[in-house]
Amino acid sequence: PSGLTTNAFGFRGRQLEVDKPEQTVRIAFVGASTTVEMAALPHSAPELIEHWLNLWAETQGLAVRFETLNAAREAIQSHDIRAIVEDELLPLAVDYVVYYEGANQLQPSHLLPHVAIEGEYQLSAPPPGLIGAFDGTESADTTWLDRLSSFSAIARNLRSIGRDSQPLTEPAKPTQTVVLADGLDQDPFPLERAAELLQLGAIGADLDAIQAALATIDAQLVMCTFSWLAYDGLTVDPVFGHNIHVQLNCAYWPFRYRTIERLAALQNRFYRAFAQQHD
C-alpha cells in the first residue's frame, strides 16, 4: 500500500544480476527506514550514489562500474541488520557494506535510564491537545480534515492553508538532566563500557559479527554517524515540518530536544570509536 517495489532480491532499487560483473564494485547499504527511505520517493539515496559514482568513474577514465544494493528494511535493529549481512549480502560478493542506522535503538525507553526528569509524566504521551497527530493517522487529536487528507489532495491543501503560518517551536517540558556514569562522556568513547549506555552493547556485538562475516569475503564495513534532527532551539515549518514536530514531541515526550541531541551525540561518538578501532 505504500507503493514500495523491490527487485528480485527483495531490495529496493533496479534489477541486478546475482553474479557480480567483471570490473564492478558492489556496495550494499544497510539500515532501517532512514536508509530504505519513503516508498513515494522515486529513488533512494543508494541509487543516486550509484549513478554519481558511475559518472565520476567515467570522468576519471576508470574502467570500473559501481553497483549499489539497498538492503535496508523499515523498523529493524542491529541484530536484524546482522542477519541481512550474513544471509543475504555475503552470497552477492559485496565489496563494501555501509551501515547507516541510529534511531530504532535510541527510542524513549532506551533514553529513560540516563535522564533524571522532575515531576509527573507519561512516556510518549504529552498532555491532550498539545501536539496533535501524525499526518494521515487517526487519534484523539485528529480532526475530520486530517482524516480526509489521507484520501484527498484538496483536503491536504485546505489543511495546509488552515494551519498557523508560524514555525513550530518546542513546547514547555519537565526539567531534566542527563545522568551518566563517570567516564562515559569522554572522547574517544570507551568501547569496553558500551554496555552501560543506551543499546550500544548490543549494537557493538552485532557490528563485531558483521565485521567478522565481511572479513570472510574480503569486504569492508563502512560506519556512518547518524543524523538526528534535534537540537536546542529547533523550529520547523508548520506544514512540511509537522510530522517532525509530532515525532519529537509526542513519540519522544517528555525528552527535550537538547536531551535527545546529547544522547544521540554519545551514540555517534561510539560509532566513531568503533570505526577508528577497526580501521
Side-chain angles (χ1 to χ4, degrees):
S2 66
L4 178 66
T5 58
T6 64
N7 59 26
F9 299 129
F11 301 150
R12 179 172 185 172
R14 67 178 181 85
Q15 292 294 349
L16 298 169
E17 296 298 323
V18 173
D19 295 327
K20 184 173 63 177
E22 295 292 329
Q23 297 297 105
T24 298
V25 177
R26 188 169 270 182
I27 306 172
F29 291 76
V30 293
S33 57
T34 310
T35 305
V36 75
E37 301 202 56
M38 290 178 59
L41 297 174
H43 303 289
S44 64
E47 296 161 78
L48 301 179
I49 290 170
E50 175 185 281
H51 179 64
W52 186 92
L53 286 172
N54 283 317
L55 290 177
W56 171 80
E58 290 174 10
T59 63
Q60 300 299 310
L62 301 177
V64 64
R65 296 290 295 172
F66 292 90
E67 290 184 349
T68 60
L69 309 175
N70 190 341
R73 315 280 159 80
E74 292 180 346
I76 65 174
Q77 299 186 8
S78 60
H79 58 274
D80 305 298
I81 296 172
R82 170 183 174 176
I84 288 169
V85 171
E86 293 174 342
D87 298 339
E88 301 178 22
L89 294 180
L90 291 189
L92 297 177
V94 294
D95 297 291
Y96 296 93
V97 169
V98 181
Y99 187 104
Y100 185 70
E101 164 53 18
N104 292 336
Q105 283 161 287
L106 196 73
Q107 293 295 302
S109 60
H110 304 140
L111 303 181
L112 191 57
H114 309 293
V115 185
I117 303 173
E118 296 182 9
E120 296 184 1
Y121 64 90
Q122 186 175 346
L123 200 63
S124 303
L130 181 64
I131 305 302
F134 287 110
D135 289 341
T137 61
E138 292 188 34
S139 79
D141 294 326
T142 306
T143 68
W144 66 270
L145 195 56
D146 291 327
R147 292 190 289 272
L148 190 59
S149 294
S150 298
F151 311 98
S152 167
I154 293 175
R156 283 195 296 273
N157 290 334
L158 287 173
R159 181 180 59 180
S160 297
I161 293 170
R163 281 185 178 159
D164 193 336
S165 61
Q166 295 301 310
L168 297 173
T169 60
E170 182 175 15
K173 292 175 181 173
T175 300
Q176 54 198 261
T177 306
V178 174
V179 181
L180 301 172
D182 290 343
L184 282 182
D185 201 11
Q186 61 180 320
D187 197 11
F189 185 89
L191 291 172
E192 69 280 1
R193 298 182 60 187
E196 299 179 40
L197 182 67
L198 304 169
Q199 292 285 292
L200 302 185
I203 295 171
D206 291 322
L207 290 175
D208 283 334
I210 291 171
Q211 176 93 347
L214 293 176
T216 65
I217 60 168
D218 291 327
Q220 179 73 39
L221 175 62
V222 179
M223 290 298 302
C224 297
T225 51
F226 190 82
S227 179
W228 267 89
L229 189 59
Y231 56 85
D232 200 25
L234 170 70
T235 62
V236 296
D237 182 271
V239 176
F240 299 108
H242 174 74
N243 283 345
I244 297 169
H245 190 256
V246 174
Q247 173 74 2
L248 289 175
N249 297 295
C250 185
Y252 278 80
W253 182 270
F255 299 110
R256 301 194 66 176
Y257 292 175
R258 64 187 180 193
T259 299
I260 300 170
E261 179 187 24
R262 173 87 182 283
L263 292 171
L266 283 170
Q267 179 176 254
N268 279 337
R269 195 178 296 172
F270 162 78
Y271 286 160
R272 289 191 186 97
F274 181 91
Q276 186 173 29
Q277 184 184 77
H278 294 277
D279 192 28

